[in-house]
Amino acid sequence: MAIQSVGVIGAGQMGNGIAHVFALAGYDVVMTDISADALEKALALIAKNLDRQISREKITVADKEATLGRIRTTSLLSDLGLADLVIEAATEKESVKHAIFADLVPHLKPETILASNTSSISITRLASRTGRPERFMGVHFMNPVPVMQLVELIRGIATSEETFGELVAVVEKIGKTATRAEDFPAFIVNRILIPMINEAVYTLYEGVGSVKSIDESMKLGANHPMGPLELADFIGLDTCLAIMNVLHDGLADTKYRPCPLLVKYVEAGWLGRKTGRGFYDHAGPEPVPTR
């Protein structure tokens, strides 16, 4: 099947980036969200990010106009029914994803590929309740989507070879690099990355170092472009905690126990950049460490 149209569920940080790269690559995109305000903000952000690409001479003004012309927004899941590929990029909660698929699947064409951008949840388990597990896959983009090169492709136990091959071709067409990950909790990137962040939070929690000293140590001592606590704020502390819980529950190993300080920050609603406060206060022009 030649994939020409793409549906994107969720207009947040990941969803708008996915819509951006597909539309720029020439696909017709329908993006949906339960919030009309979120859809409006997503289009504005896509336009802003396209302007950034123009300023870096990666695309032209004509490319921007064509890209925006290929994106349509809707609040109705049923409007994604004619898409050849639908990518779910909703919040990292399994119950939410199951509810979305239950509403969506009756509207899909038999041949449509359904994918999830989940960063940690079992693809086999998500696929099992869609009625089309052979046409279901994990397609995990990295954030920010227009910038990051990698896409993790995760097959569930029932995913067909044909479906996998079609998505390998799609990833290549949008200018990304695909890596295959097996269907184990958090796959490859987050299996390694999020426990590192959790350990950084433990280092802060136990008083080994301050926010500033921990991040500077990893940037200057390990040549990381961003410190782990700064990165946690960028990802969202709620997302980090959700992934740690998936690892802890799925692998039953105490080394994946979420740090109590990470839990406390999430309980306080201090989720990082998106709420203005996490391990840094983001209210001013420069982030200020909160500990």
Side-chain angles (χ1 to χ4, degrees):
M1 183 184 73
I3 294 173
Q4 297 178 322
S5 57
V6 179
V8 178
I9 302 170
Q13 198 171 38
M14 298 303 295
N16 74 67
I18 294 169
H20 174 146
V21 297
F22 273 96
L24 183 60
Y27 292 93
D28 292 322
V29 175
V30 181
M31 179 169 54
T32 185
D33 198 285
I34 57 173
S35 166
D37 183 54
L39 289 169
E40 188 176 331
K41 288 179 178 178
L43 288 175
L45 184 57
I46 291 169
K48 180 180 177 181
N49 288 335
L50 288 166
D51 284 336
R52 185 177 289 115
Q53 289 178 303
I54 291 170
S55 70
R56 294 174 180 171
E57 299 184 345
K58 293 185 178 295
I59 65 170
T60 66
V61 173
D63 291 330
K64 174 189 173 181
E65 292 173 354
T67 298
L68 292 174
R70 295 187 193 104
I71 301 174
R72 183 166 64 90
T73 62
T74 178
S75 59
L76 300 175
L77 273 176
S78 57
D79 287 346
L80 275 58
L82 295 178
D84 301 319
L85 167 66
V86 176
I87 301 173
E88 170 272 316
T91 187
E92 191 69 353
K93 292 182 180 178
E94 188 167 345
S95 59
V96 172
K97 296 180 187 296
H98 282 308
I100 288 170
F101 296 144
D103 288 344
L104 173 68
V105 166
H107 303 286
L108 297 179
K109 300 181 294 184
E111 65 271 23
T112 295
I113 296 175
L114 184 54
S116 176
N117 183 58
T118 179
S119 54
S120 61
I121 298 169
S122 166
I123 299 303
T124 297
R125 199 162 61 239
L126 289 176
S128 68
R129 291 168 59 176
T130 64
R132 56 176 67 216
E134 72 288 346
R135 301 293 283 172
F136 191 100
M137 267 192 64
V139 183
H140 179 214
F141 288 83
M142 306 296 125
N143 185 36
V145 180
V147 175
M148 300 298 280
Q149 183 66 23
L150 185 72
V151 179
E152 284 183 314
L153 294 181
I154 308 101
R155 294 173 65 167
I157 195 169
T159 305
S160 70
E161 192 65 41
E162 179 187 17
T163 298
F164 177 73
E166 287 176 291
L167 284 180
V168 168
V170 165
V171 171
E172 183 178 348
K173 184 176 177 181
I174 62 175
K176 304 292 186 187
T177 298
T179 187
R180 176 174 175 172
E182 294 301 320
D183 188 19
F184 287 92
F187 318 129
I188 295 173
V189 173
N190 284 329
R191 171 77 176 264
I192 298 168
L193 177 65
I194 301 301
M196 184 198 75
I197 289 174
N198 192 55
E199 194 63 29
V201 182
Y202 266 115
T203 305
L204 177 66
Y205 177 60
E206 294 169 2
V208 180
S210 66
V211 169
K212 182 179 179 182
S213 64
I214 291 166
D215 278 352
E216 281 192 347
S217 293
M218 295 307 294
K219 285 191 285 187
L220 302 179
N223 207 27
H224 290 191
M226 189 181 290
L229 300 176
E230 182 185 3
L231 181 57
D233 272 9
F234 179 74
I235 295 169
L237 304 193
D238 53 338
T239 300
C240 292
L241 178 59
I243 295 169
M244 282 307 301
N245 281 328
V246 167
L247 282 165
H248 192 230
D249 294 344
L251 299 173
D253 193 321
T254 56
K255 74 179 181 179
Y256 297 115
R257 183 172 70 96
C259 179
L261 184 60
L262 177 60
V263 175
K264 193 174 291 293
Y265 269 52
V266 172
E267 289 175 343
W270 296 355
L271 309 182
R273 286 193 191 184
K274 60 187 172 185
T275 59
R277 185 181 179 92
F279 294 112
Y280 290 83
D281 185 333
H282 300 274
E286 292 292 329
V288 178
T290 53
R291 281 178 175 248

